[in-house]
Amino acid sequence: MELRGYQKKISEQAANLLRNFKIAFLCMEVRTGKTLTSLNAANIYGAKKVLFVTKKKAISSILNDYKLINPDYQLYIINYDMLHKCDDNYELIILDESHSLGQYPKPSKRTKYLKKICTGKPIIYLTGTPTPENYSQLYHQFFVSTYSPWGRYRNFYDWFKDYGILKKKHFYNREINDYSNTIEEKVFADISHLFLSYTQKEAGFISEVEDVIVTIQMPDKVKRAINTLRGSKIIRTKDGKVILADTKVKEMQKVHQLCGGTIKCEDGDCIVFDDTKSRYILNHFHGKKIAIFYKFVGELTQLLSVFGARLTVSPEEFNNSSDKIFAAQFQSAREGVNLATADCIIMFNVDFAAVSYWQARARLQAKERTTPAYVYWLFFEGGIEQDVFDVVKKKRKYTVFHYRKKVF
């Protein structure tokens, strides 16, 4: 396979960074081919045994890319959820969607596992969104590397004393530390030499993704359920099920579920009581090849009840068919999945995380695409979805702070 000119160039540059600093951070926008570029960079670097860490749904696509370029090394691919079963017998590590390591102030379990696996190893980082919400998300990405520019700091708190601007925020009527504000120029001054950036515009992309907001009248039963939860904080079903919203966080979560037509009970069971959004898709997107992103498991149950066997959770089956409908949860398919054969993507609900907004909508993009790429967001009139959308679009995470200000 012949790589594009810019992919070859970035591969060479990445290999040089690995030789000089043991770190290469490929900040390439989605669909510009950062996987192929990283695999080629590993070959130029001369590694013979490479570990590629990614999301489960992206494994088959990465394996196909590996076969296409046929490099002179053995590739081992593992998903982030299986890191506890991984050894450290590799010469080079590639961390796909590395922003998923950005939790702070304390590292996540996957970050701790990776730090052990990556000890003494060069690392290629891959992400189109290194800081989905703020620069504090960079610390633990570099923390896993023995050669981190911030290796002199014991932990995030120690680092934040030099690079952060500590503020306070209120949560459940108590004051807590807010570590999201940093001196961005100082942060980037330490790491900019490790970054290789490339945009879709530079790659020659023709079509851009356009958001289309579809406002649907909220069904009366959904409206009543939301009002009941916000008022009495409890719903009891005819068969004895209990739904509680005794805290603002739980109320926010339950209202979010209700805006998709489902609700989770206290015993863990999920009730699908309204299929308005699924029916809307059925009636308004007939004849189009569509992919659907949902938030809650109950929403998939609802979609299955309406679309049946036409629905698939396999991106490969979807891309190779003309009549299948792809459905996936935001967290599992917002990264590493190519849905460029879809006419459009439909967001059944909206996730609270900013990264879900930017990554999921990018699944439509490809350099070869010449037709418009539309992402349709289905919002109930008067629901929570529009408010969440407005927040995450600004690269901020939707929290109970924003919910408290929402007026239904």
Side-chain angles (χ1 to χ4, degrees), residues 146-205:
T146 303
Y147 309 97
S148 169
W150 299 316
R152 64 189 182 277
Y153 295 101
R154 294 171 301 166
N155 52 42
F156 175 87
Y157 300 103
D158 196 25
W159 172 84
F160 194 81
K161 290 176 184 176
D162 284 349
Y163 294 87
I165 305 168
L166 186 61
K167 294 186 178 181
K168 301 288 184 178
K169 62 182 178 181
H170 290 86
F171 186 73
Y172 284 126
N173 297 319
R174 62 188 179 92
E175 193 175 66
I176 62 173
N177 291 331
D178 180 359
Y179 294 103
S180 63
N181 299 282
T182 58
I183 307 169
E184 295 183 1
E185 297 82 3
K186 187 175 181 180
V187 172
F188 206 65
D190 283 358
I191 60 177
S192 59
H193 63 290
L194 303 173
F195 278 67
L196 296 171
S197 301
Y198 206 75
T199 66
Q200 292 181 346
K201 186 175 181 179
E202 290 174 308
F205 277 57

Short mmCIF file of all heavy atoms in Angstrom, two decimals, residues 146-205:
data_model
loop_
_atom_site.label_atom_id
_atom_site.label_comp_id
_atom_site.label_asym_id
_atom_site.label_seq_id
_atom_site.Cartn_x
_atom_site.Cartn_y
_atom_site.Cartn_z
N THR A 146 8.20 6.90 30.89
CA THR A 146 9.41 7.09 31.69
C THR A 146 10.10 8.40 31.31
O THR A 146 10.83 8.98 32.11
CB THR A 146 10.38 5.92 31.45
OG1 THR A 146 9.70 4.69 31.76
CG2 THR A 146 11.63 6.03 32.31
N TYR A 147 9.86 8.85 30.08
CA TYR A 147 10.56 10.02 29.54
C TYR A 147 9.69 11.27 29.52
O TYR A 147 9.95 12.21 28.76
CB TYR A 147 11.06 9.69 28.13
CG TYR A 147 11.81 8.39 28.07
CD1 TYR A 147 11.18 7.20 27.69
CD2 TYR A 147 13.15 8.33 28.46
CE1 TYR A 147 11.87 6.00 27.66
CE2 TYR A 147 13.85 7.13 28.45
CZ TYR A 147 13.20 5.98 28.05
OH TYR A 147 13.88 4.77 28.05
N SER A 148 8.67 11.31 30.35
CA SER A 148 7.76 12.45 30.41
C SER A 148 8.52 13.75 30.71
O SER A 148 9.42 13.77 31.56
CB SER A 148 6.71 12.24 31.50
OG SER A 148 5.99 13.44 31.74
N PRO A 149 8.18 14.84 30.03
CA PRO A 149 8.80 16.14 30.35
C PRO A 149 8.50 16.58 31.78
O PRO A 149 9.17 17.46 32.31
CB PRO A 149 8.14 17.10 29.35
CG PRO A 149 7.59 16.23 28.27
CD PRO A 149 7.23 14.94 28.92
N TRP A 150 7.50 15.94 32.39
CA TRP A 150 7.12 16.28 33.76
C TRP A 150 7.47 15.16 34.73
O TRP A 150 6.85 15.02 35.79
CB TRP A 150 5.62 16.58 33.81
CG TRP A 150 5.24 17.74 32.94
CD1 TRP A 150 5.90 18.94 32.82
CD2 TRP A 150 4.12 17.82 32.05
NE1 TRP A 150 5.26 19.77 31.93
CE2 TRP A 150 4.15 19.12 31.43
CE3 TRP A 150 3.08 16.96 31.71
CZ2 TRP A 150 3.20 19.54 30.51
CZ3 TRP A 150 2.13 17.37 30.79
CH2 TRP A 150 2.20 18.65 30.20
N GLY A 151 8.45 14.37 34.38
CA GLY A 151 8.84 13.24 35.22
C GLY A 151 9.35 13.63 36.59
O GLY A 151 9.39 12.81 37.51
N ARG A 152 9.76 14.89 36.75
CA ARG A 152 10.28 15.35 38.05
C ARG A 152 9.18 15.54 39.08
O ARG A 152 9.46 15.69 40.28
CB ARG A 152 11.05 16.66 37.86
CG ARG A 152 10.21 17.83 37.39
CD ARG A 152 11.09 19.03 37.02
NE ARG A 152 10.32 20.20 36.60
CZ ARG A 152 9.86 20.38 35.36
NH1 ARG A 152 10.06 19.45 34.44
NH2 ARG A 152 9.21 21.49 35.05
N TYR A 153 7.94 15.55 38.63
CA TYR A 153 6.82 15.74 39.56
C TYR A 153 6.31 14.39 40.06
O TYR A 153 6.15 13.44 39.29
CB TYR A 153 5.69 16.51 38.88
CG TYR A 153 6.08 17.92 38.51
CD1 TYR A 153 6.44 18.25 37.20
CD2 TYR A 153 6.13 18.92 39.48
CE1 TYR A 153 6.81 19.55 36.86
CE2 TYR A 153 6.50 20.22 39.15
CZ TYR A 153 6.84 20.53 37.84
OH TYR A 153 7.22 21.80 37.52
N ARG A 154 6.04 14.34 41.36
CA ARG A 154 5.59 13.08 41.97
C ARG A 154 4.20 12.67 41.51
O ARG A 154 3.91 11.49 41.34
CB ARG A 154 5.61 13.21 43.50
CG ARG A 154 6.98 13.39 44.13
CD ARG A 154 6.83 13.73 45.60
NE ARG A 154 6.06 14.95 45.79
CZ ARG A 154 5.54 15.35 46.97
NH1 ARG A 154 5.69 14.58 48.03
NH2 ARG A 154 4.87 16.49 47.05
N ASN A 155 3.33 13.64 41.33
CA ASN A 155 1.94 13.35 40.96
C ASN A 155 1.30 14.61 40.38
O ASN A 155 1.94 15.66 40.24
CB ASN A 155 1.15 12.86 42.18
CG ASN A 155 1.28 13.80 43.38
OD1 ASN A 155 1.24 15.02 43.23
ND2 ASN A 155 1.46 13.23 44.56
N PHE A 156 0.03 14.49 40.05
CA PHE A 156 -0.70 15.60 39.43
C PHE A 156 -0.71 16.83 40.34
O PHE A 156 -0.53 17.96 39.87
CB PHE A 156 -2.13 15.17 39.11
CG PHE A 156 -2.99 16.29 38.59
CD1 PHE A 156 -3.01 16.61 37.24
CD2 PHE A 156 -3.78 17.04 39.47
CE1 PHE A 156 -3.81 17.65 36.76
CE2 PHE A 156 -4.57 18.09 38.99
CZ PHE A 156 -4.58 18.39 37.64
N TYR A 157 -0.96 16.62 41.64
CA TYR A 157 -1.04 17.75 42.56
C TYR A 157 0.27 18.53 42.60
O TYR A 157 0.27 19.77 42.63
CB TYR A 157 -1.37 17.25 43.97
CG TYR A 157 -2.67 16.50 44.07
CD1 TYR A 157 -2.70 15.10 44.16
CD2 TYR A 157 -3.90 17.17 44.08
CE1 TYR A 157 -3.89 14.41 44.26
CE2 TYR A 157 -5.10 16.49 44.19
CZ TYR A 157 -5.09 15.10 44.27
OH TYR A 157 -6.28 14.43 44.35
N ASP A 158 1.37 17.81 42.61
CA ASP A 158 2.69 18.43 42.61
C ASP A 158 2.91 19.24 41.34
O ASP A 158 3.42 20.37 41.36
CB ASP A 158 3.76 17.33 42.74
CG ASP A 158 5.11 17.88 43.15
OD1 ASP A 158 5.13 18.95 43.77
OD2 ASP A 158 6.12 17.23 42.85
N TRP A 159 2.50 18.66 40.21
CA TRP A 159 2.61 19.34 38.91
C TRP A 159 1.72 20.58 38.86
O TRP A 159 2.12 21.63 38.36
CB TRP A 159 2.22 18.34 37.82
CG TRP A 159 2.09 18.91 36.44
CD1 TRP A 159 3.09 19.13 35.54
CD2 TRP A 159 0.87 19.35 35.79
NE1 TRP A 159 2.58 19.65 34.36
CE2 TRP A 159 1.22 19.79 34.49
CE3 TRP A 159 -0.45 19.38 36.17
CZ2 TRP A 159 0.27 20.27 33.58
CZ3 TRP A 159 -1.40 19.87 35.27
CH2 TRP A 159 -1.03 20.30 33.99
N PHE A 160 0.51 20.46 39.39
CA PHE A 160 -0.47 21.54 39.30
C PHE A 160 -0.02 22.79 40.07
O PHE A 160 -0.41 23.91 39.71
CB PHE A 160 -1.83 21.06 39.84
CG PHE A 160 -2.97 21.97 39.51
CD1 PHE A 160 -3.59 21.91 38.27
CD2 PHE A 160 -3.45 22.89 40.44
CE1 PHE A 160 -4.65 22.75 37.95
CE2 PHE A 160 -4.50 23.73 40.13
CZ PHE A 160 -5.10 23.67 38.89
N LYS A 161 0.81 22.60 41.10
CA LYS A 161 1.32 23.75 41.85
C LYS A 161 2.09 24.71 40.95
O LYS A 161 2.07 25.92 41.14
CB LYS A 161 2.22 23.28 42.99
CG LYS A 161 1.48 22.58 44.12
CD LYS A 161 2.47 22.05 45.15
CE LYS A 161 1.76 21.25 46.25
NZ LYS A 161 2.73 20.66 47.21
N ASP A 162 2.76 24.15 39.92
CA ASP A 162 3.55 24.97 39.00
C ASP A 162 2.78 25.39 37.76
O ASP A 162 3.08 26.43 37.16
CB ASP A 162 4.80 24.20 38.57
CG ASP A 162 5.87 24.16 39.65
OD1 ASP A 162 5.73 24.90 40.65
OD2 ASP A 162 6.83 23.38 39.52
N TYR A 163 1.82 24.58 37.34
CA TYR A 163 1.16 24.82 36.05
C TYR A 163 -0.32 25.16 36.15
O TYR A 163 -0.94 25.51 35.15
CB TYR A 163 1.31 23.58 35.16
CG TYR A 163 2.73 23.29 34.75
CD1 TYR A 163 3.56 22.53 35.55
CD2 TYR A 163 3.25 23.80 33.56
CE1 TYR A 163 4.87 22.27 35.19
CE2 TYR A 163 4.55 23.55 33.18
CZ TYR A 163 5.37 22.78 34.00
OH TYR A 163 6.67 22.54 33.63
N GLY A 164 -0.88 25.06 37.34
CA GLY A 164 -2.31 25.27 37.49
C GLY A 164 -2.70 26.57 38.16
O GLY A 164 -1.87 27.26 38.77
N ILE A 165 -3.97 26.89 38.02
CA ILE A 165 -4.58 28.04 38.70
C ILE A 165 -5.74 27.49 39.52
O ILE A 165 -6.82 27.20 38.98
CB ILE A 165 -5.08 29.08 37.68
CG1 ILE A 165 -3.96 29.52 36.73
CG2 ILE A 165 -5.68 30.29 38.40
CD1 ILE A 165 -4.43 30.32 35.54
N LEU A 166 -5.50 27.29 40.81
CA LEU A 166 -6.50 26.64 41.65
C LEU A 166 -7.70 27.55 41.89
O LEU A 166 -7.57 28.71 42.27
CB LEU A 166 -5.88 26.25 42.99
CG LEU A 166 -6.78 25.43 43.93
CD1 LEU A 166 -7.16 24.10 43.29
CD2 LEU A 166 -6.08 25.20 45.27
N LYS A 167 -8.88 26.98 41.63
CA LYS A 167 -10.13 27.68 41.91
C LYS A 167 -11.01 26.79 42.76
O LYS A 167 -10.71 25.61 42.97
CB LYS A 167 -10.83 28.07 40.60
CG LYS A 167 -10.06 29.10 39.78
CD LYS A 167 -10.87 29.54 38.56
CE LYS A 167 -10.11 30.61 37.78
NZ LYS A 167 -10.89 31.09 36.60
N LYS A 168 -12.08 27.34 43.24
CA LYS A 168 -13.03 26.59 44.06
C LYS A 168 -14.37 26.50 43.34
O LYS A 168 -14.74 27.38 42.56
CB LYS A 168 -13.23 27.28 45.41
CG LYS A 168 -11.96 27.44 46.24
CD LYS A 168 -11.48 26.11 46.81
CE LYS A 168 -10.28 26.31 47.72
NZ LYS A 168 -9.83 25.03 48.31
N LYS A 169 -15.06 25.41 43.57
CA LYS A 169 -16.42 25.29 43.07
C LYS A 169 -17.26 24.59 44.12
O LYS A 169 -16.73 23.90 45.00
CB LYS A 169 -16.45 24.53 41.74
CG LYS A 169 -15.95 23.11 41.79
CD LYS A 169 -15.99 22.50 40.38
CE LYS A 169 -15.45 21.07 40.39
NZ LYS A 169 -15.47 20.47 39.03
N HIS A 170 -18.55 24.75 44.01
CA HIS A 170 -19.45 24.16 45.00
C HIS A 170 -20.13 22.92 44.44
O HIS A 170 -20.59 22.90 43.30
CB HIS A 170 -20.50 25.20 45.45
CG HIS A 170 -19.92 26.30 46.28
ND1 HIS A 170 -19.34 27.42 45.71
CD2 HIS A 170 -19.79 26.43 47.63
CE1 HIS A 170 -18.91 28.22 46.67
NE2 HIS A 170 -19.17 27.64 47.84
N PHE A 171 -20.14 21.89 45.27
CA PHE A 171 -20.74 20.62 44.88
C PHE A 171 -21.45 20.05 46.09
O PHE A 171 -20.84 19.83 47.14
CB PHE A 171 -19.64 19.66 44.40
CG PHE A 171 -20.15 18.37 43.84
CD1 PHE A 171 -20.76 18.32 42.59
CD2 PHE A 171 -20.02 17.18 44.55
CE1 PHE A 171 -21.22 17.13 42.06
CE2 PHE A 171 -20.48 15.98 44.03
CZ PHE A 171 -21.08 15.96 42.78
N TYR A 172 -22.77 19.85 45.96
CA TYR A 172 -23.57 19.39 47.10
C TYR A 172 -23.38 20.29 48.32
O TYR A 172 -23.16 19.83 49.43
CB TYR A 172 -23.22 17.94 47.47
CG TYR A 172 -23.80 16.93 46.53
CD1 TYR A 172 -22.98 15.98 45.92
CD2 TYR A 172 -25.15 16.92 46.23
CE1 TYR A 172 -23.50 15.05 45.04
CE2 TYR A 172 -25.67 15.99 45.36
CZ TYR A 172 -24.85 15.06 44.77
OH TYR A 172 -25.38 14.14 43.90
N ASN A 173 -23.42 21.59 48.08
CA ASN A 173 -23.32 22.58 49.15
C ASN A 173 -22.00 22.55 49.91
O ASN A 173 -21.91 23.02 51.05
CB ASN A 173 -24.49 22.39 50.15
CG ASN A 173 -25.83 22.62 49.51
OD1 ASN A 173 -26.00 23.54 48.72
ND2 ASN A 173 -26.80 21.77 49.85
N ARG A 174 -20.96 21.98 49.29
CA ARG A 174 -19.63 22.05 49.92
C ARG A 174 -18.62 22.54 48.88
O ARG A 174 -18.78 22.33 47.69
CB ARG A 174 -19.21 20.70 50.50
CG ARG A 174 -19.07 19.58 49.49
CD ARG A 174 -18.83 18.26 50.20
NE ARG A 174 -18.71 17.14 49.27
CZ ARG A 174 -17.56 16.71 48.76
NH1 ARG A 174 -16.42 17.31 49.11
NH2 ARG A 174 -17.53 15.69 47.93
N GLU A 175 -17.60 23.16 49.37
CA GLU A 175 -16.59 23.74 48.50
C GLU A 175 -15.50 22.72 48.19
O GLU A 175 -14.96 22.09 49.10
CB GLU A 175 -15.98 24.97 49.18
CG GLU A 175 -15.14 25.83 48.26
CD GLU A 175 -14.65 27.10 48.93
OE1 GLU A 175 -13.83 26.99 49.87
OE2 GLU A 175 -15.10 28.19 48.53
N ILE A 176 -15.19 22.54 46.92
CA ILE A 176 -14.14 21.61 46.53
C ILE A 176 -13.17 22.30 45.58
O ILE A 176 -13.48 23.34 45.00
CB ILE A 176 -14.71 20.34 45.85
CG1 ILE A 176 -15.46 20.72 44.56
CG2 ILE A 176 -15.61 19.57 46.80
CD1 ILE A 176 -15.92 19.51 43.76
N ASN A 177 -11.98 21.71 45.43
CA ASN A 177 -10.97 22.28 44.54
C ASN A 177 -11.30 21.99 43.08
O ASN A 177 -11.73 20.89 42.72
CB ASN A 177 -9.60 21.69 44.86
CG ASN A 177 -9.07 22.17 46.20
OD1 ASN A 177 -9.39 23.27 46.64
ND2 ASN A 177 -8.24 21.36 46.85
N ASP A 178 -11.08 22.98 42.25
CA ASP A 178 -11.26 22.86 40.80
C ASP A 178 -9.89 22.90 40.14
O ASP A 178 -9.20 23.92 40.18
CB ASP A 178 -12.14 24.00 40.29
CG ASP A 178 -12.38 23.95 38.79
OD1 ASP A 178 -11.84 23.04 38.13
OD2 ASP A 178 -13.08 24.83 38.27
N TYR A 179 -9.49 21.75 39.54
CA TYR A 179 -8.15 21.65 38.95
C TYR A 179 -8.17 21.78 37.42
O TYR A 179 -7.22 21.35 36.77
CB TYR A 179 -7.54 20.29 39.32
CG TYR A 179 -7.27 20.12 40.80
CD1 TYR A 179 -8.12 19.35 41.59
CD2 TYR A 179 -6.16 20.70 41.39
CE1 TYR A 179 -7.87 19.18 42.95
CE2 TYR A 179 -5.90 20.54 42.74
CZ TYR A 179 -6.76 19.77 43.52
OH TYR A 179 -6.50 19.61 44.85
N SER A 180 -9.20 22.37 36.88
CA SER A 180 -9.34 22.40 35.43
C SER A 180 -8.64 23.59 34.76
O SER A 180 -8.52 23.62 33.54
CB SER A 180 -10.81 22.40 35.04
OG SER A 180 -11.46 23.57 35.53
N ASN A 181 -8.18 24.55 35.54
CA ASN A 181 -7.57 25.75 34.96
C ASN A 181 -6.05 25.70 35.04
O ASN A 181 -5.48 25.49 36.12
CB ASN A 181 -8.08 26.99 35.71
CG ASN A 181 -9.58 27.15 35.60
OD1 ASN A 181 -10.09 27.59 34.58
ND2 ASN A 181 -10.29 26.78 36.65
N THR A 182 -5.41 25.88 33.90
CA THR A 182 -3.96 25.82 33.84
C THR A 182 -3.39 27.04 33.12
O THR A 182 -4.11 27.78 32.45
CB THR A 182 -3.48 24.56 33.10
OG1 THR A 182 -4.04 24.58 31.77
CG2 THR A 182 -3.89 23.29 33.82
N ILE A 183 -2.09 27.23 33.27
CA ILE A 183 -1.37 28.25 32.50
C ILE A 183 -1.00 27.59 31.18
O ILE A 183 0.05 26.93 31.06
CB ILE A 183 -0.13 28.74 33.26
CG1 ILE A 183 -0.51 29.19 34.67
CG2 ILE A 183 0.55 29.88 32.50
CD1 ILE A 183 0.67 29.44 35.57
N GLU A 184 -1.87 27.70 30.19
CA GLU A 184 -1.76 26.91 28.97
C GLU A 184 -0.44 27.14 28.23
O GLU A 184 0.16 26.20 27.71
CB GLU A 184 -2.95 27.20 28.06
CG GLU A 184 -4.28 26.76 28.67
CD GLU A 184 -5.46 26.97 27.73
OE1 GLU A 184 -5.24 27.45 26.59
OE2 GLU A 184 -6.59 26.65 28.12
N GLU A 185 0.02 28.39 28.19
CA GLU A 185 1.28 28.67 27.49
C GLU A 185 2.45 27.94 28.14
O GLU A 185 3.33 27.41 27.45
CB GLU A 185 1.56 30.19 27.48
CG GLU A 185 0.52 31.01 26.74
CD GLU A 185 -0.72 31.31 27.57
OE1 GLU A 185 -0.76 30.90 28.76
OE2 GLU A 185 -1.66 31.92 27.03
N LYS A 186 2.44 27.89 29.47
CA LYS A 186 3.52 27.21 30.19
C LYS A 186 3.47 25.71 29.98
O LYS A 186 4.50 25.05 29.81
CB LYS A 186 3.42 27.54 31.68
CG LYS A 186 4.59 27.02 32.51
CD LYS A 186 4.47 27.49 33.96
CE LYS A 186 5.67 26.99 34.77
NZ LYS A 186 5.60 27.44 36.19
N VAL A 187 2.26 25.16 29.98
CA VAL A 187 2.09 23.71 29.74
C VAL A 187 2.63 23.34 28.36
O VAL A 187 3.44 22.42 28.22
CB VAL A 187 0.60 23.32 29.85
CG1 VAL A 187 0.40 21.87 29.40
CG2 VAL A 187 0.09 23.50 31.27
N PHE A 188 2.18 24.07 27.35
CA PHE A 188 2.53 23.69 25.98
C PHE A 188 3.99 23.98 25.66
O PHE A 188 4.57 23.31 24.79
CB PHE A 188 1.62 24.41 24.99
CG PHE A 188 1.47 23.66 23.70
CD1 PHE A 188 0.85 22.43 23.67
CD2 PHE A 188 1.96 24.17 22.51
CE1 PHE A 188 0.71 21.71 22.49
CE2 PHE A 188 1.84 23.47 21.32
CZ PHE A 188 1.21 22.23 21.31
N ALA A 189 4.58 24.92 26.35
CA ALA A 189 6.00 25.21 26.12
C ALA A 189 6.88 24.00 26.42
O ALA A 189 7.92 23.79 25.79
CB ALA A 189 6.43 26.40 26.97
N ASP A 190 6.45 23.17 27.37
CA ASP A 190 7.23 21.99 27.77
C ASP A 190 7.07 20.82 26.80
O ASP A 190 7.91 19.92 26.76
CB ASP A 190 6.78 21.51 29.16
CG ASP A 190 7.33 22.37 30.28
OD1 ASP A 190 8.09 23.31 29.98
OD2 ASP A 190 6.99 22.12 31.44
N ILE A 191 5.97 20.80 26.05
CA ILE A 191 5.65 19.59 25.28
C ILE A 191 5.47 19.83 23.78
O ILE A 191 5.36 18.86 23.02
CB ILE A 191 4.35 18.94 25.83
CG1 ILE A 191 3.18 19.93 25.72
CG2 ILE A 191 4.55 18.47 27.26
CD1 ILE A 191 1.84 19.35 26.16
N SER A 192 5.47 21.07 23.34
CA SER A 192 5.16 21.37 21.94
C SER A 192 6.12 20.69 20.97
O SER A 192 5.73 20.33 19.85
CB SER A 192 5.17 22.89 21.71
OG SER A 192 6.43 23.44 22.03
N HIS A 193 7.38 20.49 21.38
CA HIS A 193 8.37 19.87 20.49
C HIS A 193 8.06 18.40 20.23
O HIS A 193 8.64 17.79 19.31
CB HIS A 193 9.77 20.01 21.09
CG HIS A 193 9.95 19.30 22.40
ND1 HIS A 193 9.36 19.71 23.57
CD2 HIS A 193 10.67 18.18 22.71
CE1 HIS A 193 9.69 18.90 24.55
NE2 HIS A 193 10.49 17.97 24.07
N LEU A 194 7.16 17.81 21.01
CA LEU A 194 6.83 16.39 20.87
C LEU A 194 5.60 16.17 20.00
O LEU A 194 5.27 15.03 19.67
CB LEU A 194 6.59 15.77 22.25
CG LEU A 194 7.74 15.90 23.26
CD1 LEU A 194 7.30 15.39 24.63
CD2 LEU A 194 8.96 15.13 22.77
N PHE A 195 4.93 17.24 19.61
CA PHE A 195 3.67 17.14 18.88
C PHE A 195 3.86 17.27 17.37
O PHE A 195 4.61 18.11 16.89
CB PHE A 195 2.70 18.24 19.34
CG PHE A 195 1.95 17.90 20.60
CD1 PHE A 195 2.61 17.80 21.80
CD2 PHE A 195 0.58 17.68 20.56
CE1 PHE A 195 1.93 17.50 22.97
CE2 PHE A 195 -0.12 17.37 21.73
CZ PHE A 195 0.56 17.28 22.93
N LEU A 196 3.15 16.41 16.65
CA LEU A 196 3.08 16.50 15.20
C LEU A 196 1.59 16.61 14.84
O LEU A 196 0.83 15.66 15.03
CB LEU A 196 3.69 15.25 14.54
CG LEU A 196 5.19 15.04 14.78
CD1 LEU A 196 5.62 13.66 14.28
CD2 LEU A 196 6.00 16.13 14.09
N SER A 197 1.20 17.77 14.37
CA SER A 197 -0.22 18.04 14.11
C SER A 197 -0.50 18.06 12.62
O SER A 197 0.34 18.46 11.81
CB SER A 197 -0.62 19.38 14.74
OG SER A 197 -0.38 19.37 16.13
N TYR A 198 -1.72 17.65 12.28
CA TYR A 198 -2.15 17.69 10.89
C TYR A 198 -3.66 17.77 10.85
O TYR A 198 -4.36 17.02 11.54
CB TYR A 198 -1.67 16.45 10.12
CG TYR A 198 -1.51 16.69 8.64
CD1 TYR A 198 -0.44 17.42 8.15
CD2 TYR A 198 -2.45 16.22 7.73
CE1 TYR A 198 -0.28 17.66 6.80
CE2 TYR A 198 -2.30 16.45 6.37
CZ TYR A 198 -1.21 17.17 5.91
OH TYR A 198 -1.06 17.42 4.57
N THR A 199 -4.18 18.68 10.05
CA THR A 199 -5.62 18.92 10.00
C THR A 199 -6.25 18.28 8.77
O THR A 199 -5.56 17.93 7.80
CB THR A 199 -5.93 20.42 9.97
OG1 THR A 199 -5.45 20.97 8.73
CG2 THR A 199 -5.25 21.15 11.13
N GLN A 200 -7.56 18.16 8.81
CA GLN A 200 -8.31 17.65 7.66
C GLN A 200 -8.17 18.59 6.47
O GLN A 200 -8.09 18.15 5.32
CB GLN A 200 -9.77 17.46 8.03
CG GLN A 200 -10.02 16.34 9.03
CD GLN A 200 -11.48 16.17 9.34
OE1 GLN A 200 -12.30 17.03 9.03
NE2 GLN A 200 -11.82 15.06 9.97
N LYS A 201 -8.14 19.87 6.74
CA LYS A 201 -8.00 20.84 5.66
C LYS A 201 -6.67 20.66 4.95
O LYS A 201 -6.60 20.69 3.71
CB LYS A 201 -8.11 22.26 6.22
CG LYS A 201 -8.13 23.34 5.15
CD LYS A 201 -8.36 24.71 5.77
CE LYS A 201 -8.41 25.78 4.69
NZ LYS A 201 -8.64 27.13 5.26
N GLU A 202 -5.60 20.45 5.73
CA GLU A 202 -4.28 20.21 5.14
C GLU A 202 -4.27 18.92 4.33
O GLU A 202 -3.56 18.80 3.34
CB GLU A 202 -3.22 20.15 6.24
CG GLU A 202 -2.94 21.48 6.91
CD GLU A 202 -2.00 21.33 8.08
OE1 GLU A 202 -2.27 20.48 8.96
OE2 GLU A 202 -0.98 22.05 8.13
N ALA A 203 -5.08 17.94 4.78
CA ALA A 203 -5.13 16.65 4.09
C ALA A 203 -6.00 16.68 2.84
O ALA A 203 -6.04 15.70 2.08
CB ALA A 203 -5.65 15.57 5.05
N GLY A 204 -6.70 17.78 2.63
CA GLY A 204 -7.51 17.91 1.41
C GLY A 204 -8.93 17.42 1.55
O GLY A 204 -9.58 17.09 0.55
N PHE A 205 -9.46 17.38 2.78
CA PHE A 205 -10.85 16.99 2.96
C PHE A 205 -11.78 18.01 2.30
O PHE A 205 -11.58 19.22 2.43
CB PHE A 205 -11.18 16.88 4.45
CG PHE A 205 -10.78 15.57 5.07
CD1 PHE A 205 -9.46 15.14 5.02
CD2 PHE A 205 -11.71 14.77 5.70
CE1 PHE A 205 -9.08 13.95 5.60
CE2 PHE A 205 -11.35 13.57 6.28
CZ PHE A 205 -10.03 13.15 6.23
#
